[in-house]
Amino acid sequence: MSMRGVTLDQLAQLVERAERLRRLIHQTAMDERPQESPPIRFGLKEASELIGRSPTAIRDAETSGKIPTPELGDNKRRLGFTLDEINVAREYFGTRLCRQAGDEPVCLAVSNFKGGSSKTTTAVHLAQYLAIQGLRVLLVDADSQGSATQTFGYIPDDEIELEATMYPFLVGSEKDLRYAVRPTKWSGLSLIPASLDLYGAEYAIARAITEDNRVLNRMRSGIAGLRDDFDVVIIDPPPALGMISLSVMRAADALLITMPVGAYDLFSTISYLNMAHQVLESITEMLGHTEYKFLRILITRLDESSEVQSAMTELIPEHLGSFVLPVAVKKTAGLDRAGMKGRSLYEAGPEDIPRQTLKRGIASFNNANEEIFRLIRRCWPSHMESLRSEGIL
Ligand SMILES: Nc1ncnc2c1ncn2[C@@H]1O[C@H](COP(=O)(O)OP(=O)(O)OP(=O)(O)O)[C@@H](O)[C@H]1O
Ligand SMILES: [Mg+2]
């Protein structure tokens, strides 16, 4: 593309203005952000489903002081169980659904080189869903845009130092990735955050690769070093085919490919699959076998009012078969508004999204997440029997 008429000075001016705009938007988000978002809470019926015991058994355990009693609100009504309290109850009843000895942790990358294909939204909602199920989850933000980090209430450029991201580990100045893992307000869910400077890892890895291509395995070995602490690791990669994305493909042992079904989206996902195949072939040649425990396509942001999209969702499984998950994530109006405030659908309230829309949105994400959770459980020998008794195997 020609740069005729656009001088570097003009571009610099544009950058300066854009940076000011970014600070303004961030500042607005900061001002709107609740000081301390309250934790999500679950009523007795929901808690009973999550804990896997009857409401009576839960009340009895509460009365005998074996499990915590939910806090009371201003009107003296119970506020509901926090996820922390649910997990205490699960430990007490022995119903927490973690992986057992002999089950390998699953490292799942949400992948598509196409920008805006719902990777971050999928990664964040899946991570939170799995934490609600009682798993120990690590969400790795590998995208210098830091969108996943933002969902956890951080303003990446202002609040996340480069030293707190994966960068020092990726460039070899840290030997253990544990320094980058931070807890979130979600019980059982930890985060490795990202900031804009993480982009520098693209250059650092590109330089290092000329000497030793095993640098592409660094992310993998960092995550492997954390394996004892987690059941599932979810990676949110950048929307580009760069060194970080290659490292993510190497680190992952399962791939979830997000696919919106607008006409261009579908075509670019097909190009992505093509490219991913070629890239994996050459990485395998360089570094040895790349094997995934599973690979699935998740149709996302489905607009059911669109005839084209509805037709596509019928056509796609006919051709791609069981590679496509049988449930799609529907488009939920207001999700981006909640996201600006650092809230997922699980945290959003009626002030963000109308009640019925929110309920439908959560149900849609839950259906998809449940399917993915089943695929994860299928990787764990200790879950085989329960999957069989649930009629899934
Ligand atoms: N199911 C959905 N319903 C409505 N909006 C959605 C849905 N999924 C994602 N979005 C919106 O689409 C936009 C892009 O989503 P997201 O940021 O998750 O994509 P991404 O693939 O991570 O983008 P990038 O490539 O820039 O990292 C966001 O504004 C998000 O709020
Ligand atoms: Mg993203």
Side-chain angles (χ1 to χ4, degrees):
M1 199 172 68
S2 152
M3 288 279 282
R4 199 149 48 94
V6 181
T7 64
L8 261 184
D9 282 352
Q10 280 176 304
L11 190 55
Q13 222 181 68
L14 174 60
V15 168
E16 202 178 296
R17 286 184 191 198
E19 283 296 341
R20 270 206 301 273
L21 175 64
R22 180 161 65 163
R23 275 195 294 275
L24 175 75
I25 295 171
H26 275 172
Q27 198 53 53
T28 315
M30 283 266 251
D31 293 346
E32 273 189 22
R33 196 170 56 163
Q35 284 308 306
E36 183 74 37
S37 306
I40 58 164
R41 291 182 184 269
F42 305 90
L44 187 59
K45 184 167 169 282
E46 224 178 335
S48 150
E49 281 163 17
L50 290 174
I51 295 166
R53 285 290 182 270
S54 69
T56 317
I58 292 170
R59 285 292 206 171
D60 288 349
E62 256 185 52
T63 315
S64 57
K66 303 286 190 208
I67 65 170
T69 301
E71 204 182 313
L72 299 181
D74 293 339
N75 55 6
K76 297 279 179 281
R77 287 183 57 183
R78 289 157 64 102
L79 287 175
F81 291 91
T82 61
L83 188 53
D84 249 327
E85 290 164 347
I86 299 264
N87 280 336
V88 171
R90 282 171 164 148
E91 300 289 354
Y92 169 68
F93 287 113
T95 53
R96 195 161 176 181
L97 255 185
C98 288
R99 72 186 163 91
Q100 307 291 319
D103 299 341
E104 300 275 318
V106 174
C107 179
L108 176 99
V110 180
S111 193
N112 196 328
F113 301 148
K114 180 180 162 56
S117 56
S118 299
K119 294 180 291 295
T120 302
T121 308
T122 303
V124 166
H125 286 82
L126 177 61
Q128 294 181 349
Y129 172 89
L130 294 175
I132 293 171
Q133 305 314 308
L135 299 192
R136 300 165 306 158
V137 184
L138 173 65
L139 178 62
V140 180
D141 192 348
D143 180 4
S144 58
Q145 295 179 95
S147 317
T149 301
Q150 217 164 315
T151 320
F152 287 87
Y154 298 104
I155 308 287
D157 306 350
D158 295 339
E159 297 174 352
I160 304 292
E161 299 285 327
L162 183 61
E163 287 66 35
T165 71
M166 259 194 305
Y167 183 86
F169 182 85
L170 291 178
V171 301
S173 54
E174 286 280 352
K175 301 291 169 235
D176 185 327
L177 190 51
R178 195 152 286 140
Y179 73 92
V181 177
R182 59 175 74 198
T184 68
K185 63 176 182 232
W186 289 72
S187 174
L189 174 53
S190 302
L191 172 74
I192 294 187
S195 72
L196 195 63
D197 300 339
L198 177 61
Y199 195 75
E202 293 287 352
Y203 304 113
I205 299 174
R207 273 194 303 273
I209 208 169
T210 56
E211 287 188 9
D212 185 353
N213 52 28
R214 281 173 305 172
V215 65
L216 288 179
N217 280 341
R218 270 200 78 74
M219 192 186 292
R220 181 181 188 84
S221 70
I223 289 172
L226 306 172
R227 54 186 292 126
D228 290 346
D229 300 340
F230 298 101
D231 302 310
V232 179
V233 178
I234 295 169
I235 317 182
D236 182 23
L241 177 52
M243 294 296 142
I244 295 178
S245 285
L246 292 183
S247 302
V248 171
M249 293 199 108
R250 205 59 203 162
D253 45 35
L255 284 187
L256 183 67
I257 297 159
T258 49
M259 181 161 85
V261 284
Y264 296 129
D265 296 312
L266 176 60
F267 295 155
S268 62
T269 302
I270 293 170
S271 308
Y272 158 76
L273 290 172
N274 217 319
M275 227 193 306
H277 177 242
Q278 288 177 27
V279 163
L280 281 173
E281 243 179 3
S282 41
I283 302 185
T284 302
E285 258 171 45
M286 275 197 296
L287 295 164
H289 202 43
T290 312
E291 193 176 282
Y292 295 117
K293 293 179 203 288
F294 61 85
L295 181 160
R296 289 290 187 287
I297 290 173
L298 172 64
I299 295 177
T300 54
R301 220 159 59 211
L302 171 66
D303 179 359
E304 286 174 310
S305 69
S306 150
E307 270 176 41
V308 173
Q309 293 203 19
S310 297
M312 292 276 196
T313 43
E314 287 195 12
L315 193 64
I316 290 166
E318 272 176 37
H319 291 265
L320 305 185
S322 58
F323 281 117
V324 185
L325 283 171
V327 283
V329 172
K330 293 176 190 156
K331 185 171 170 181
T332 303
L335 195 146
D336 48 354
R337 195 171 42 244
M340 281 292 281
K341 287 196 210 162
R343 289 178 179 170
S344 68
L345 281 192
Y346 294 120
E347 298 164 299
E351 67 282 12
D352 302 310
I353 301 173
R355 217 176 283 274
Q356 281 310 316
T357 312
L358 182 58
K359 216 171 139 186
R360 275 200 303 272
I362 290 176
S364 173
F365 273 90
N366 278 351
N367 287 341
N369 288 334
E370 194 182 345
E371 285 292 331
I372 300 160
F373 186 27
R374 281 192 189 132
L375 291 169
I376 292 170
R377 287 172 66 206
R378 286 169 81 144
C379 302
W380 293 338
S382 79
H383 280 247
M384 286 305 155
E385 204 157 304
S386 54
L387 285 169
R388 241 177 248 124
S389 68
E390 289 166 36
I392 292 160
L393 282 182

